[in-house]
Amino acid sequence: MSDARTSAPPAGTELRLIVWQFVRIMVQLETVSRVRGRERGPSVYQDWRGSWTEIDRTLERLGKTDSEAFADLMMNQEVVLRCRDRNQVNEVTRTAENVVAQLDELLKEARGDAKKEEELQFERREMKALVKHLRRQGRSGNKARSGAPKPATPASPPRRGKKRKG
């Protein structure tokens, strides 16, 4: 019998990210990977690099030829990715938290530009919802008790009103 820890990804966690979220996360992971070097860079970056390259090329091509298709891919399409274990989910969570912090800085710089502020607020709100979802998945780890993990719903609007912090 094979050990479950050494077998391929079925025990992993499936994540569904809207393409723009994936782009934001991968740009951040790419930066960290460059700074740390391949050996010490985030493992999820290496695992997702093939998907990243494909989407980046497609976005670049569409950006030059078909702005409607570009916008549709960025805002309406999802990327389905797999994290091998809880550590990778946590890597993605920390990366998404860093993206939120970057968006906070960009919001400060955009003060007075209503359109830019609105766009950044949208991204920040959606990334914060993704972080919340990822934290739940990171806690549950890769040992799903009742079948496959629930797919992410990062596009859902954040809930209004605050519940107590826990």
Side-chain angles (χ1 to χ4, degrees):
M1 280 191 144
S2 72
D3 184 351
R5 288 172 286 166
T6 59
S7 62
T13 300
E14 182 180 274
L15 298 180
R16 294 178 174 271
L17 303 174
I18 300 170
V19 170
W20 73 263
Q21 292 174 320
F22 178 62
V23 168
R24 284 275 193 191
I25 286 169
M26 288 305 289
V27 166
Q28 179 64 25
L29 287 171
E30 195 170 60
T31 302
V32 170
S33 188
R34 264 193 241 122
V35 169
R36 291 185 186 167
R38 280 187 184 221
E39 306 309 314
R40 295 180 51 227
S43 65
V44 76
Y45 176 74
Q46 293 304 321
D47 288 359
W48 293 358
R49 197 169 182 187
S51 298
W52 169 234
T53 301
E54 182 181 334
I55 286 177
D56 190 41
R57 284 184 187 146
T58 302
L59 287 169
E60 190 175 324
R61 180 180 49 79
L62 290 174
K64 294 175 183 175
T65 61
D66 188 344
S67 59
E68 282 187 39
F70 176 88
D72 180 62
L73 179 59
M74 281 291 271
M75 302 307 290
N76 300 322
Q77 305 299 316
E78 290 184 331
V79 183
V80 180
L81 305 151
R82 186 164 297 283
C83 290
R84 285 182 268 154
D85 54 29
R86 184 184 310 191
N87 290 334
Q88 283 194 331
V89 174
N90 291 336
E91 276 182 15
V92 176
T93 304
R94 284 189 306 274
T95 302
E97 288 168 340
N98 289 338
V99 170
V100 170
Q102 290 170 356
L103 290 167
D104 287 341
E105 289 301 312
L106 291 171
L107 272 163
K108 288 177 188 173
E109 294 170 16
R111 291 237 163 89
D113 182 344
K115 185 175 192 239
K116 186 72 173 169
E117 281 186 79
E118 184 180 336
E119 291 169 0
L120 291 168
Q121 285 288 3
F122 166 80
E123 286 187 57
R124 184 180 182 280
R125 192 171 46 249
E126 294 297 311
M127 288 302 291
K128 282 188 70 91
L130 176 61
V131 166
K132 186 176 180 180
H133 174 78
L134 290 169
R135 283 184 185 144
R136 283 193 303 266
Q137 285 207 291
R139 280 194 295 271
S140 66
N142 63 351
K143 296 176 183 171
R145 290 188 183 115
S146 59
K150 293 178 184 175
T153 54
S156 64
R159 292 187 178 122
R160 299 285 183 216
K162 290 193 173 192
K163 302 217 177 207
R164 67 174 191 200
K165 287 190 174 184

